[in-house]
Amino acid sequence: MLSGVVQGSGLGPLLFLMYIDGLAKALESVGVVTKFFADDVKVYLKIVKYDDCVFLQKALDLISQWASDWQLQISVEKCSVLHVGPCHVSFRYSIGIDVIPQVTQCKDLGEVWF
């Protein structure tokens, strides 16, 4: 194993929390809201002006850099941008060189969000 935490061990959950703690703190420093579940992370932010989009992109850049530092690959095909409410600011978010597709709904742990 080149990176990550061994699954099925007694210390695995604690080691995993220690492993992702740096990512959580880095994302907190840019002011986005984060939600972690197992090996998934969500970032979101209320977008009012263009600068808010830049902050959200900065969070995505931090995730990308963290993953690269730990030799992890992000499944960009599983990523999406969902606008909730009126969105008057146009911005193309990306992870590395890959543009994240915008969707009108997404599935989250079995629930569909519009």
Side-chain angles (χ1 to χ4, degrees):
M1 183 164 96
L2 298 176
S3 63
V5 175
V6 177
Q7 293 182 359
S9 67
L11 288 176
L14 177 61
L15 293 173
F16 182 73
L17 289 174
M18 292 170 57
Y19 187 67
I20 63 167
D21 186 58
L23 176 60
K25 287 181 178 171
L27 290 171
E28 185 179 297
S29 74
V30 294
V32 296
V33 180
T34 58
K35 300 291 181 188
F36 290 89
F37 181 79
D39 61 348
D40 292 333
V41 63
K42 289 182 196 173
V43 293
Y44 54 95
L45 183 65
K46 182 176 182 178
I47 304 294
V48 178
K49 57 187 185 289
Y50 184 82
D51 290 346
D52 299 328
C53 298
V54 173
F55 284 126
L56 191 54
Q57 180 60 54
K58 186 174 180 179
L60 295 171
D61 294 340
L62 282 171
I63 293 169
S64 180
Q65 184 59 51
W66 181 86
S68 176
D69 291 346
W70 287 98
Q71 301 174 7
L72 300 170
Q73 285 191 323
I74 297 174
S75 298
V76 179
E77 65 275 3
K78 294 181 182 178
C79 299
S80 58
V81 174
L82 176 66
H83 295 283
V84 179
C87 182
H88 304 289
V89 180
S90 179
F91 195 90
R92 292 177 58 115
Y93 298 98
S94 62
I95 295 178
I97 61 169
D98 299 310
V99 174
I100 303 172
Q102 292 188 24
V103 297
T104 57
Q105 67 180 18
C106 67
K107 198 174 239 187
D108 180 32
L109 298 175
E111 292 186 48
V112 176
W113 294 89
F114 297 94

